[in-house]
Amino acid sequence: MNQKIVILTGAGISAESGIPTFRDSGGLWENEPVNIVATPEGFEAEPKRVITFYDNLRKSVQKCEPNAAHRAIAKLEEKFGDDFLLITQNVDDLHQRAGSKRVIPMHGELLKVRCFNDHVIPCKENQPEKCPQCGAKMRPHIVWFGEVPLEMERIQEALMQCNLFAYIGTSGVVYPAAGFRQIAKRAGARVVCLNLERVANGDEFIQGKAGDIVPKWVDSLNG
Ligand code: APR
């Protein structure tokens, strides 16, 4: 049977590119109240503050470059083609810029905004006040706490069919992504964690910085 690979990434894979993670010291959630900048209720209560937060993040992410880990994952996709799927919780575009194509950004995309009629439009700088297509109010194209992540059906199907599942640079505390390792395991997949810290017992664990360990791990799969 073909090797079917699903990879899940989190903020740790972009840390070496200069994008702060969420929960490490100096992380994004240390400086910003999560209940304001990452919930629909926060957006309703303080829209200007939320918009400014994402406008600033959008500008700073564009100054960052993909690192060796992003590039290694893109290389893996080249080899495995349709037997490969990348799911990322990250809202930056570093995987895409490294060349990944079969990628599901399940928590949305910083470089897009959407209106309340669900028109999604690219956005590189400040969020426009009104939708250029229909004039409705706009919001960041980000999945906030309490909202349903994108493309869950496709994700579920890929997890049920994979025989190798790896999660990289994620603390494994935010569901549903935190539960993917269990779905893959129940489906009979080999499960590997590549991270600075062990996040769950019972999985193969490769410890280190993503930029060091991911390229080596990818080479070991190719070889
Ligand atoms: N290499 C590998 N792992 C790293 C590195 C690195 N250079 N730097 C940090 N890490 C690890 C940390 O040890 C931690 O386990 O990456 C993980 C980052 O965890 P979080 O900050 O919680 O990020 P993530 O798991 O992506 O968060 C999930 O939470 O707030 C939401 O929507 C947001 O998508 C995000 C979700």
Side-chain angles (χ1 to χ4, degrees):
M1 193 172 79
N2 285 352
Q3 171 91 285
K4 285 191 186 292
I5 301 177
V6 175
I7 290 185
L8 169 72
T9 62
I13 199 164
S14 295
E16 288 154 78
S17 294
I19 302 175
T21 61
F22 295 96
R23 294 173 182 79
D24 294 305
S25 109
L28 285 173
W29 294 162
E30 198 172 77
N31 303 317
E32 291 290 338
V34 185
N35 60 325
I36 300 294
V37 298
T39 66
E41 295 78 17
F43 181 56
E44 213 171 304
E46 295 195 48
K48 279 209 176 106
R49 182 174 183 180
V50 176
I51 290 168
T52 304
F53 172 73
Y54 289 100
D55 282 351
N56 290 339
L57 202 56
R58 188 175 299 124
K59 287 169 204 161
S60 67
V61 156
Q62 288 177 88
K63 293 186 192 127
C64 299
E65 295 295 331
N67 64 50
H70 298 103
R71 289 193 294 272
I73 289 175
K75 203 170 102 185
L76 193 61
E77 178 183 342
E78 266 178 34
K79 175 154 195 234
F80 284 90
D82 287 337
D83 289 328
F84 175 94
L85 180 67
L86 172 62
I87 305 162
T88 186
Q89 299 168 90
N90 298 344
V91 296
D92 65 53
D93 64 339
L94 297 187
H95 281 302
Q96 292 88 334
R97 275 200 264 150
S100 287
K101 295 198 169 51
R102 293 165 180 87
V103 47
I104 298 181
M106 65 177 288
H107 288 170
E109 294 175 78
L110 196 52
L111 291 168
K112 291 182 182 165
V113 291
R114 77 166 184 268
C115 78
F116 280 70
N117 290 324
D118 277 341
H119 294 122
V120 177
I121 59 162
C123 177
K124 288 197 159 179
E125 296 187 351
N126 292 343
Q127 176 180 302
E129 268 185 33
K130 288 185 175 164
C131 175
Q133 289 183 34
C134 69
K137 199 171 131 184
M138 307 281 324
R139 56 164 283 176
H141 187 47
I142 301 286
V143 176
W144 287 321
F145 287 102
E147 298 182 319
V148 181
L150 309 175
E151 304 211 50
M152 282 307 293
E153 267 179 40
R154 235 177 103 203
I155 291 175
Q156 178 84 16
E157 198 179 312
L159 290 170
M160 299 293 293
Q161 286 174 4
C162 74
N163 40 34
L164 173 60
F165 173 72
Y167 56 101
I168 303 171
T170 176
S171 59
V173 298
V174 174
Y175 281 81
F180 291 173
R181 52 175 285 282
Q182 280 151 318
I183 299 175
K185 198 168 259 187
R186 260 186 260 123
R190 174 182 159 202
V191 175
V192 187
C193 166
L194 297 101
N195 207 32
L196 275 186
E197 52 174 4
R198 188 187 277 280
V199 298
N201 290 323
D203 299 341
E204 271 178 57
F205 177 47
I206 302 173
Q207 184 164 29
K209 286 187 171 185
D212 295 332
I213 58 177
V214 176
K216 287 185 195 142
W217 177 72
V218 164
D219 283 345
S220 77
L221 292 177
N222 281 326

